[in-house]
Amino acid sequence: MLSYFVKRILLFFPSIFLIGAFTFLLFNATPTDSVASLLRLDGFEEKVISEKLYKSQYKKIASELGLDLPKFYFAFVPRYYPDTLHRIIDKQERKQIVDLLSHHNDWAAVSSFIYQGEVRLQSTETKETKKLITDLLWVVKPDDLDTKLISAMGTLTSPEVSTFLDQAQIVSQQKTSWFIFPKFLWFGTSNQYHAWISNFFSGSLGRSVQDGRPVWGKISKALGWTLSLVVLGLSFTILISVPLGIWSARNGNSRMVRLLSNFFYFIYAMPLFWFATLMVVFFTTAHYGNWTNIFPGVGINPYAGDESTVSKILANANQLILPVFCIVLNSIAYLSSIVRNSIIAESNQAYKTTALLKGLTEKATFWKHLFPNALLPLVTIIVGAVPASLAGSLIIEVIFNIPGIGRLMFDSIFGNDWYVIFSIVMLVGVVTVISYLIGDLLYSYLNPRIRFDQAKKV
Amino acid sequence: MIGLKKIWAFRKGKWALGIISFFLVIALFADFIANEKPIYCKYNGEIYFPVLHEYGEGLGLLGNYEFLNNKSWQELQLEEAIFPIIKFSSGNIDQNSSAYSRPSSSFENGFQTKKHWLGSDSIGRDVAAGIVQGTRKTLSIAFFAMLISCLIGFVFGVLSGFFGDRSVRMNLWAFIGLMFFIILIWFQWSYNHWSFGLALIATFVLISAVFFLSPRLGGRQFYLPLDLIIMRMIEVFKSVPALFILLALLAIISKPNIFTLIVIIGILRWSTIARVLRAELLRLKENKFITSAKAIGSTDKQIIVNHLLPNALPSLLTVIAFGFAGTILLEASISFLGIGLSAEEVTWGSILSEARNNFSAWWLAVFPGAAIFLMVVACNYLGDTLNEINLRSN
């Protein structure tokens, strides 16, 4: 038992590592520039303030976000690469240098070309020369460098420029090889991935691009709403479907049972978002008769601001009735049929006959022997239902305008708020992994007949 | 092999086949069911088949009708005409149509009386036409996404279920060398001027050379734990919150088309198929007929293709049927959230989401939702039936 527990818990860490890597990978593929959006929030508009101030502010924010760190613990780069290429934050600038390097595989030449160019740009006065030098420095295709150089040489004749032009001459010549040997770079723990994971678990997830508030603050506020939806939904489902399952197992053939189970099966087969939409459309307004506005409309009541989330949720209890009702009604059929099948399966076991032969009453046999055993599979199913109910909660929150994490994710997608989006994805992934872990541990603890290794081989 | 007749013998199977073939017909003949052009018409003494002509235009074989002159067919005085049942094209806004028209309300447009059988939406687009065209999109997304997950699931299922942990054997140093050189090759692809094809061919040549040479090298042999690796992969994919990941991915792509949607959904959903195929293969491998096949010298390929797959097919079909339902639901929920395809692409989910804007337009909530519901239930019924047939035959 213990070895299985240890093994199962050890499996938890690679899963977290992989989910972290996956979200981090996606995070790095995001199309918009979060630093620029954060700068805009702080009042640093590009083109309004001087370019120098903007650049220095950009650098400051980017290094706060750790964007000047290497991506991962290690990297394989071509032999001729510099060790600190990651310090260049601007993507355009980095791509330019990488392009030049793959045209002329020599860092010493490329770096002195760029250095000389920058020095010239600082010291030359005429706009024309500046423009020509920038054109050469930031050439779009390194293959065009030599033709550009020839045309520039006619105009740039002053002796100061000649060192730069000499360097440009060197770089413009192609220097590549058919096979590149990599070199291995080790960065240690000061890398973006490590920071991403450790920041996630320490709760410092950065700032939201939409309003500048800390991401963790936004998520923790939203989490209260989602948790109350999930917990209320699950507990009402259990409270209703366990008695229903017992009742239908005992009166298996009555017409009422069949009618009710068919009704719940019908609701269960309806997609949650359709069922919820139908409820909202038909039962929150008086369009369809005098009595059809039995539920309050969607959304939550406006509140004064700094109330605690708990008091906000309590103040909006009546707004939560319909969403919870939708969640519960949609999942009753599934859970109650599991309870029913499990009770029927247990009542065919030999121990029931033994208990009856011992002289126990039918009732005592049921509650003392059958019932606890029948509820065993329920434990894992309920724990395993947590991830699915988070996804269900997302749709419910969007339909009913409840500010939970699903709604937050939905709004953040439209606002390109990547820090919020990927923190939520990571959070949901971690919750999913943890709930499967708890489910497996509970199952093997409660039902020692089943061992992990045996289950694996089936 | 499960024939349609066997499925038809069950009550649920009848429903499933009926509903699925109904939607299949709609998807195939969508252009003839909902179109603002007539199927057949006579104009100025000449006979035209505008809907068929549309296919020719689409293929670039035929030019536009010149006499139309940017006018719509409704504005022409046709001598004879047969119009489709639904006289609207999905996504097109009819100028005379009003927003939120009730079901079976009709209006005059040019020389035609047009009827919104299932009502219209906030900008006057016909709901019935949207559902008909949406059928095609939904079914093709579900079909091709399942095809991709089947392909991936098939490869991984066979690798872990048939080959497992103890059949792929090689020299330890050969393996380490292989890994080293594969990394080197792909390094050339990403940093040097090697093309993708060259890197792929080089990798393939390297792998086959090592597999050919490795048993002859002797030395320390070790088993490649394929099953272990793939099971860990399946576990990770199982704990991925599909809806959240899908939303994040679509947000990054920002303008997903049907193709990217298919690929993403297909990649997210392979793990169930791989798991079931693996379990089936593990079960079937113990049978005597596999031992006999091995005894008469059948190759691995023959055993897999001739003996294992036909026997694993019934369980696979069950999973595929349930997976089909899941894919349709996933696609509908993201279109419902408005994050899937672009707003001009009308799907079942996108029509349903419009119901949230106007609660008095009940037809926007009922009809597209019913289409999703029917299709999902039909797939689930098909899965149930296949499962039942499976259980009885074992």
Side-chain angles (χ1 to χ4, degrees), chain A residues 306-366:
Chain A
D306 47 332
E307 297 166 59
S308 73
T309 314
V310 178
S311 62
K312 272 184 229 161
I313 291 169
L314 287 176
N316 282 292
N318 57 339
Q319 302 300 114
L320 290 180
I321 294 173
L322 189 56
V324 171
F325 179 74
C326 289
I327 295 173
V328 171
L329 212 59
N330 201 259
S331 42
I332 280 179
Y334 179 61
L335 210 61
S336 66
S337 79
I338 281 171
V339 173
R340 196 186 129 236
N341 294 343
S342 164
I343 287 175
I344 289 173
E346 292 296 326
S347 56
N348 293 332
Q349 298 278 333
Y351 70 82
K352 189 198 167 190
T353 327
T354 319
L356 286 176
L357 286 176
K358 258 189 343 190
L360 281 178
T361 58
E362 185 88 35
K363 213 173 185 177
T365 315
F366 181 79

Side-chain angles (χ1 to χ4, degrees), chain A residues 66-326:
Chain A
L67 295 181
D68 55 348
L69 295 176
K71 294 263 189 244
F72 202 60
Y73 296 96
F74 60 85
F76 286 103
V77 293
R79 202 171 35 85
Y80 49 81
Y81 264 42
D83 290 356
T84 50
L85 197 64
H86 51 83
R87 284 200 196 143
I88 297 161
I89 294 161
D90 190 30
K91 275 181 193 164
Q92 205 65 41
E93 205 175 319
R94 200 186 303 171
K95 187 179 176 294
Q96 181 72 26
I97 292 172
V98 166
D99 282 354
L100 268 181
L101 264 174
S102 62
H103 176 75
H104 185 86
N105 297 352
D106 185 0
W107 173 238
V110 170
S111 62
S112 95
F113 164 67
I114 292 169
Y115 173 74
Q116 292 289 340
E118 294 289 345
V119 167
R120 283 296 100 214
L121 278 180
Q122 301 284 328
S123 52
T124 44
E125 322 69 39
T126 55
K127 260 192 182 165
E128 225 171 292
T129 357
K130 264 193 180 173
K131 196 184 169 298
L132 274 172
I133 292 175
T134 347
D135 269 3
L136 286 178
L137 260 184
W138 301 117
V139 62
V140 183
K141 270 194 210 146
D143 292 341
D144 300 342
L145 194 63
D146 46 352
T147 50
K148 280 206 169 180
L149 192 63
I150 290 165
S151 66
M153 266 177 168
T155 351
L156 299 172
T157 44
S158 66
E160 293 94 30
V161 199
S162 66
T163 42
F164 169 66
L165 289 179
D166 288 346
Q167 279 304 329
Q169 193 96 50
I170 296 171
V171 173
S172 71
Q173 283 156 10
Q174 203 174 28
K175 186 184 172 192
T176 51
S177 58
W178 184 78
F179 197 87
I180 300 171
F181 285 97
K183 77 175 166 188
F184 180 76
L185 295 178
W186 175 256
F187 301 114
T189 51
S190 66
N191 63 66
Q192 288 186 34
Y193 174 72
H194 191 83
W196 166 250
I197 296 277
S198 52
N199 283 349
F200 177 81
F201 285 106
S202 65
S204 55
L205 301 167
R207 280 191 299 156
S208 159
V209 169
Q210 279 174 311
D211 50 14
R213 278 160 53 205
V215 171
W216 177 242
K218 281 184 106 168
I219 290 181
S220 60
K221 263 184 199 147
L223 210 54
W225 291 98
T226 302
L227 274 182
S228 53
L229 270 184
V230 169
V231 169
L232 281 175
L234 271 180
S235 37
F236 276 112
T237 310
I238 295 166
L239 282 180
I240 295 170
S241 50
V242 169
L244 194 74
I246 295 170
W247 178 67
S248 61
R250 297 185 123 189
N251 315 288
N253 292 320
S254 85
R255 237 182 112 195
M256 190 64 198
V257 169
R258 263 185 291 145
L259 208 72
L260 212 63
S261 68
N262 275 340
F263 169 73
F264 281 126
Y265 186 79
F266 180 76
I267 303 278
Y268 169 68
M270 286 168 88
L272 182 60
F273 58 88
W274 186 39
F275 182 63
T277 308
L278 285 180
M279 294 305 286
V280 166
V281 166
F282 285 109
F283 295 114
T284 60
T285 56
H287 284 300
Y288 306 100
N290 292 328
W291 60 274
T292 53
N293 55 346
I294 43 177
F295 292 109
V298 296
I300 56 162
N301 302 320
Y303 41 82
D306 47 332
E307 297 166 59
S308 73
T309 314
V310 178
S311 62
K312 272 184 229 161
I313 291 169
L314 287 176
N316 282 292
N318 57 339
Q319 302 300 114
L320 290 180
I321 294 173
L322 189 56
V324 171
F325 179 74
C326 289

Side-chain angles (χ1 to χ4, degrees), chain A residues 11 18 22 26 29 76-78 177-178 180 182 266 271 274 277 280-282 288 394 398 409-410 418 428 432 456, chain B residues 184 187-188 191-192 194 232 236 239 241 244-245 251-252 278 329 336-337 356 359-360 362 365-366 369-370 373:
Chain A
L11 260 177
L18 282 172
F22 191 57
L26 290 183
F76 286 103
V77 293
S177 58
W178 184 78
I180 300 171
F266 180 76
W274 186 39
T277 308
V280 166
V281 166
F282 285 109
Y288 306 100
L394 183 141
V398 171
M409 167 121 180
F410 182 74
W418 303 110
V428 176
T432 311
K456 221 178 69 177
Chain B
L184 263 187
F187 187 80
Q188 303 306 314
Y191 286 105
N192 209 341
W194 286 31
R232 285 297 90 78
V236 169
S239 58
F244 286 84
I245 290 280
I252 289 177
R278 170 183 177 272
L329 265 183
F336 178 76
L337 293 173
R356 282 186 290 144
F359 290 166
S360 57
W362 56 268
V366 172
F373 172 69

Side-chain angles (χ1 to χ4, degrees), chain B residues 244-293:
Chain B
F244 286 84
I245 290 280
L246 188 60
L247 290 184
L249 267 172
L250 292 174
I252 289 177
I253 296 168
S254 83
K255 277 208 183 84
N257 52 28
I258 286 191
F259 182 71
T260 44
L261 205 61
I262 286 170
V263 171
I264 292 172
I265 295 180
I267 289 173
L268 277 177
R269 296 186 62 91
W270 61 271
S271 64
T272 353
I273 290 168
R275 213 167 55 226
V276 169
L277 184 59
R278 170 183 177 272
E280 273 301 285
L281 292 184
L282 285 181
R283 187 177 65 82
L284 288 168
K285 243 170 43 170
E286 305 299 320
N287 279 321
K288 290 225 169 68
F289 65 87
I290 300 299
T291 324
S292 334

